Amino acid sequence: MDDVENLVDGNEWSSESSKKESCHVQSNTNSQSQRSRSRSKSKLRAGYEEGNELFDDCKFAEAFKKFTLVYEGRKSSLGPDNPETLEAKNRMAMALDADGKYSEAFKLYSEVYQGRKRVLGDDHLDTIQTQHDLAALRANQQKYDIAVNLFEEIYEKRRRILGKNHPDTLMTLHELASALDDSGKRKEAYKVYTQVYKSRQKVLGEEAAETLETGHELASNLDELDRQEEALELYRKVWEGRQHVLGKEDPLTLETRHEMAGCLAGVGKYEEALEMYEEVIDLRTKILGADDTDTLETQHEVACLLAEQGKYEAALLIFEQVHQQRKEVLGVQDEDTLESGHEMAGVLKHLEKYGEALALLKKVHAGRKHLLGEDDPDTIDTNYDIGEIHYLCKRYAEAVRIFQDVYKARKRVLGKDDPETLDCGFKMAMSLKSQGKFKDAKKFFKEVYEERKESLGEDHGDTIEALQLLESISIS
């Protein structure tokens, strides 16, 4: 009996010991698993931070790769709809967006937006922020009507949830004004910019970065509305604020100074504008480098200002330099390179170097047609200038052929009563008259006269000019 009891006791002890050993093994396994998960989370967190650092350094392609690794890791361990997974995917979209890959970014932003709406709700601040990023992307794609509608919707949400003067609400309102401005709705943009500027002054202070940013954009808007004196006054205020907060040599301070110079040129203060441009060039060269796109932009504006004053030889020297540097830095087909080429051709035309001007214009036209499309206003303008070179060289048949194409394109894109459309119709009539095709010329002079009378009034100089030429043909 004692042996049996001892056996039972021994078995019980053995069983209990086995359980403890099993629990100890399980505990070790769980600990190892937890440590493994902890290491994995730490690794993903570190990868996320590395991605942010790369993004801040403008290394967007590398940042995208890093965020993609974090996203895949979080999707595997946390699931595709986990907020942290969606955040990593959102950062992927931001990297693509910043790198100009808008179509790819749009796809990811849309997926994040739908995921956050599903998991967090339509009114969650993260969901709204993704919607805001989508709207900004649409503006970058020049889909302004879509962007405006989205920004208006986001503004109403943020105003309701955060209040009308919350920084995020004001940020959305600022972006709405920008989209309106870029779409050509200057007066509507002015009203919104003014509202944001006053609110940011009140909430954030006169010299807050956001207040100064809106002040700068409002000044630009005033300039576009031909209210140069008001624009100049506001630019000066923003420049003084940025100089005080950021310093004289900060890129944003220099940006405002650059725009001030342009505004001065717009009101005919050429010498003051030129002096200011030279100041900006010196500082941009020192801070950013001689080949930086901002430095080249200011040099380009100096050349334009000199050309506007009739100083074509001096302008040509600068245009040649800028055009060459932009080809090397940005590429032959870049929009800024093509712009410099177009302006340089205009100077060559004024210097009566028609062969060089024509050769350059043909290159610019081919580049703009490829980059911007056949119906882009800049492409059409270049084609018009090609026609004008032929007209000046008395190649009237070729001039008429090109002017006909431009006239049709401008009617289609700008409208039949747009001043540029009518200028082209007038030049085509002149070419036909020079060919002795008076009947055809009369038809276009009459068309231009009627449209100018309707849109400009019968006492306007351009209307009178068209009428005089129409009557001269009728008499002959």
Side-chain angles (χ1 to χ4, degrees):
M1 178 66 78
D2 290 340
D3 290 339
V4 173
E5 286 174 359
N6 287 337
L7 182 59
V8 171
D9 288 329
N11 284 341
E12 285 179 354
W13 179 88
S14 177
S15 175
E16 193 64 35
S17 176
S18 179
K19 284 180 184 177
K20 286 179 180 178
E21 188 175 344
S22 175
C23 288
H24 180 67
V25 170
Q26 185 64 42
S27 176
N28 283 342
T29 303
N30 289 339
S31 296
Q32 288 171 359
S33 178
Q34 287 170 0
R35 282 196 298 273
S36 176
R37 282 198 297 272
S38 179
R39 282 196 299 272
S40 178
K41 286 185 74 174
S42 296
K43 189 176 180 181
L44 292 173
R45 195 178 302 114
Y48 183 81
E49 293 304 324
E50 286 173 24
N52 284 333
E53 288 175 12
L54 289 165
F55 186 91
D56 291 341
D57 289 338
C58 299
K59 296 177 180 177
F60 304 120
E62 294 175 54
F64 174 75
K65 290 177 183 177
K66 190 64 68 174
F67 288 134
T68 301
L69 290 173
V70 175
Y71 168 70
E72 293 297 340
R74 285 180 175 177
K75 186 172 75 167
S76 176
S77 60
L78 302 173
D81 279 350
N82 183 279
E84 290 187 30
T85 307
L86 292 171
E87 173 57 24
K89 195 173 195 177
N90 191 64
R91 299 299 287 186
M92 289 167 62
M94 288 174 65
L96 290 168
D97 190 357
D99 208 18
K101 297 178 179 177
Y102 298 131
S103 296
E104 296 169 61
F106 175 76
K107 181 177 182 295
L108 290 185
Y109 274 139
S110 298
E111 290 171 3
V112 173
Y113 175 63
Q114 293 301 326
R116 283 179 163 171
K117 195 159 71 163
R118 186 168 55 250
V119 174
L120 303 172
D122 194 42
D123 282 350
H124 191 280
L125 296 181
D126 287 349
T127 308
I128 295 170
Q129 181 58 50
T130 305
Q131 192 179 18
H132 180 99
D133 292 337
L134 271 168
L137 184 143
R138 284 310 203 189
N140 285 335
Q141 291 179 305
Q142 299 182 357
K143 297 181 178 180
Y144 299 119
D145 289 344
I146 297 173
V148 165
N149 289 335
L150 283 171
F151 280 131
E152 286 175 340
E153 182 182 334
I154 296 158
Y155 169 68
E156 288 303 325
K157 286 181 184 178
R158 283 183 160 167
R159 186 177 62 82
R160 173 169 49 83
I161 296 165
L162 300 171
K164 68 176 183 178
N165 285 328
H166 188 278
D168 287 352
T169 308
L170 294 176
M171 176 177 67
T172 299
L173 206 55
H174 176 95
E175 295 295 341
L176 171 60
S178 180
L180 287 166
D181 208 6
D182 289 338
S183 69
K185 297 176 180 177
R186 309 287 185 202
K187 291 181 180 178
E188 291 178 54
Y190 168 75
K191 291 178 184 177
V192 182
Y193 272 137
T194 302
Q195 180 185 341
V196 178
Y197 186 54
K198 288 179 179 177
S199 296
R200 281 182 161 174
Q201 283 177 309
K202 179 181 176 182
V203 176
L204 303 173
E206 290 277 354
E207 293 190 342
E210 294 86 347
T211 307
L212 294 170
E213 179 192 12
T214 305
H216 180 97
E217 296 301 332
L218 176 56
S220 176
N221 174 265
L222 286 165
D223 193 10
E224 291 289 345
L225 289 169
D226 292 327
R227 295 164 63 175
Q228 276 84 18
E229 292 297 340
E230 294 171 77
L232 194 56
E233 183 182 347
L234 186 52
Y235 271 136
R236 198 176 303 280
K237 184 177 181 179
V238 172
W239 176 69
E240 288 170 356
R242 283 180 163 174
Q243 190 173 218
H244 181 247
V245 175
L246 303 171
K248 184 179 180 180
E249 297 180 352
D250 186 87
L252 290 175
T253 308
L254 294 175
E255 179 191 8
T256 303
R257 196 68 166 162
H258 172 97
E259 297 299 337
M260 278 177 69
C263 210
L264 285 166
V267 294
K269 297 180 180 179
Y270 297 123
E271 293 306 317
E272 194 177 343
L274 192 58
E275 187 179 330
M276 198 173 288
Y277 274 139
E278 294 293 351
E279 175 194 326
V280 174
I281 288 171
D282 288 343
L283 288 171
R284 280 182 163 173
T285 301
K286 175 186 172 185
I287 305 304
L288 305 172
D291 285 344
D292 184 83
T293 53
D294 288 347
T295 308
L296 295 174
E297 179 192 9
T298 308
Q299 288 180 316
H300 176 92
E301 293 301 329
V302 168
C304 288
L305 182 56
L306 290 169
E308 194 174 336
Q309 292 178 280
K311 299 175 181 179
Y312 299 119
E313 294 286 359
L316 182 60
L317 288 173
I318 298 173
F319 274 133
E320 286 175 336
Q321 178 187 341
V322 172
H323 187 55
Q324 183 59 38
Q325 285 178 286
R326 280 180 165 174
K327 281 197 289 186
E328 292 170 4
V329 175
L330 301 171
V332 176
Q333 295 292 316
D334 182 83
E335 200 167 345
D336 288 345
T337 307
L338 295 170
E339 181 191 13
S340 291
H342 183 98
E343 295 294 341
M344 185 164 74
V347 170
L348 288 166
K349 182 190 76 174
H350 282 292
L351 291 170
E352 298 184 3
K353 297 181 179 182
Y354 298 132
E356 293 176 62
L358 185 59
L360 186 52
L361 283 170
K362 285 181 176 179
K363 287 181 182 178
V364 174
H365 181 251
R368 283 180 162 173
K369 190 175 177 181
H370 174 74
L371 183 69
L372 305 172
E374 195 168 14
D375 276 355
D376 185 88
D378 287 344
T379 308
I380 297 169
D381 286 350
T382 308
N383 203 25
Y384 174 86
D385 288 343
I386 290 172
E388 195 167 42
I389 294 290
H390 286 298
Y391 177 82
L392 291 168
C393 293
K394 299 183 180 180
R395 294 190 288 266
Y396 299 122
E398 186 63 16
V400 167
R401 185 186 67 78
I402 292 171
F403 286 141
Q404 280 179 329
D405 289 342
V406 174
Y407 191 50
K408 288 176 185 175
R410 283 183 170 171
K411 271 186 174 180
R412 186 168 61 249
V413 176
L414 303 175
K416 66 177 183 176
D417 59 349
D418 185 87
E420 291 187 9
T421 305
L422 297 175
D423 285 347
C424 184
F426 182 85
K427 190 57 70 79
M428 184 162 59
M430 290 291 291
S431 300
L432 289 163
K433 180 175 178 286
S434 298
Q435 282 183 290
K437 296 182 177 180
F438 300 117
K439 185 177 179 181
D440 291 334
K442 182 178 178 180
K443 172 192 168 187
F444 285 105
F445 277 132
K446 185 177 181 181
E447 191 173 308
V448 171
Y449 166 68
E450 293 295 342
E451 290 293 346
R452 281 180 172 174
K453 186 172 72 169
E454 181 70 24
S455 59
L456 301 174
E458 58 184 344
D459 293 332
H460 192 278
D462 290 347
T463 310
I464 293 169
E465 182 185 26
L467 178 60
Q468 287 172 340
L469 284 161
L470 176 61
E471 289 175 342
S472 72
I473 287 179
S474 297
I475 293 169
S476 62

